[in-house]
Amino acid sequence: GLTITQRLVELLGGSIGFESQLGKGSRFWFELPLQAMEPPLAVQTQASPLQTPQASWRFLVVDDHPINRLLVKQVLQNAWPHSVIDEADDGKMALDKLQAGIYDVVFMDMVMPIMDGIDATRLIRQDAVDRIHQVPVLGLTANVNPLDLERFKSAGLNGVMLKPFEPAALCHRAETLLLPTGDAA
């Protein structure tokens, strides 16, 4: 457990150490280079209605956790009841589905087994087929590490949202990607 903890602390740019006295015990500590920030202001705004509620979009939801896929799927189905929503539980499966079908937006988790969302998004952007490399990809992640988020964005995302997300915010971000000149960065 200590080796894993040490690697995690070092990945976050910190240091770890310990002090030990025979017969008295040990004390372990770590330090992380975190900066104090003001909490974001809660903005109470009335969500504007979607412009395309009757559209028949095709969505691909990629996440290794079935509950997360179900949640995103339900939010999308409520907003766009005529849409088709497919699922993939890793990046490799997402690439296979993109080869076989046409999608209007891909909702991509960052951390998954087999192939993560960063590699999958990078491969989507490198694909020779226009309908694949041009598909909008909205990243969804609970990872708040700035370095990881930057790696995810630079893989070719059109935008990223942190989990948990507000359903209305997810739908509005998706709609900006669906409409011409859409970019949810």
Side-chain angles (χ1 to χ4, degrees):
L2 288 176
T3 302
I4 294 170
T5 303
Q6 179 183 15
R7 291 190 67 184
L8 287 172
V9 167
E10 289 172 353
L11 282 171
L12 293 171
S15 60
I16 187 169
F18 72 97
E19 298 168 352
S20 184
Q21 286 186 340
L22 188 60
K24 286 197 163 196
S26 300
R27 180 176 75 101
F28 296 86
W29 55 266
F30 67 91
E31 294 178 355
L32 296 176
L34 303 175
Q35 297 176 354
M37 298 181 74
E38 291 296 318
L41 297 175
V43 179
Q44 294 292 343
T45 58
Q46 184 72 341
S48 57
L50 294 173
Q51 298 176 38
T52 61
Q54 297 303 317
S56 298
W57 304 114
R58 289 189 51 90
F59 298 116
L60 178 59
V61 179
V62 187
D63 198 304
D64 58 322
H65 294 288
I67 298 298
N68 292 345
R69 289 194 311 269
L70 178 65
L71 175 63
V72 174
K73 194 172 174 178
Q74 190 61 55
V75 167
L76 296 173
Q77 196 70 61
N78 288 343
W80 293 284
H82 305 293
S83 293
V84 174
I85 305 165
D86 287 338
E87 301 177 45
D89 57 18
D90 64 64
K92 172 74 173 89
M93 185 182 291
L95 294 173
D96 293 343
K97 288 193 174 265
L98 283 164
Q99 290 291 328
I102 297 172
Y103 296 94
D104 298 300
V105 175
V106 175
F107 297 87
M108 183 74 71
D109 185 27
M110 180 172 25
V111 180
M112 296 177 286
I114 301 174
M115 181 184 292
D116 68 18
I118 296 171
D119 289 339
T121 302
R122 188 175 295 114
L123 290 171
I124 288 169
R125 294 300 177 232
Q126 294 171 356
D127 198 287
V129 178
D130 284 348
R131 71 174 171 74
I132 296 174
H133 76 253
Q134 293 176 357
V135 68
V137 180
L138 181 60
L140 301 175
T141 183
N143 186 332
V144 296
N145 180 306
L147 297 174
D148 291 340
L149 288 172
E150 187 52 42
R151 282 183 46 233
F152 198 20
K153 290 176 187 175
S154 66
L157 292 178
N158 295 85
V160 65
M161 291 186 71
L162 294 177
K163 299 175 190 175
F165 54 82
E166 289 291 324
L170 178 75
C171 293
H172 280 89
R173 290 292 278 293
E175 193 170 60
T176 63
L177 296 172
L178 292 162
L179 299 175
T181 69
D183 191 0

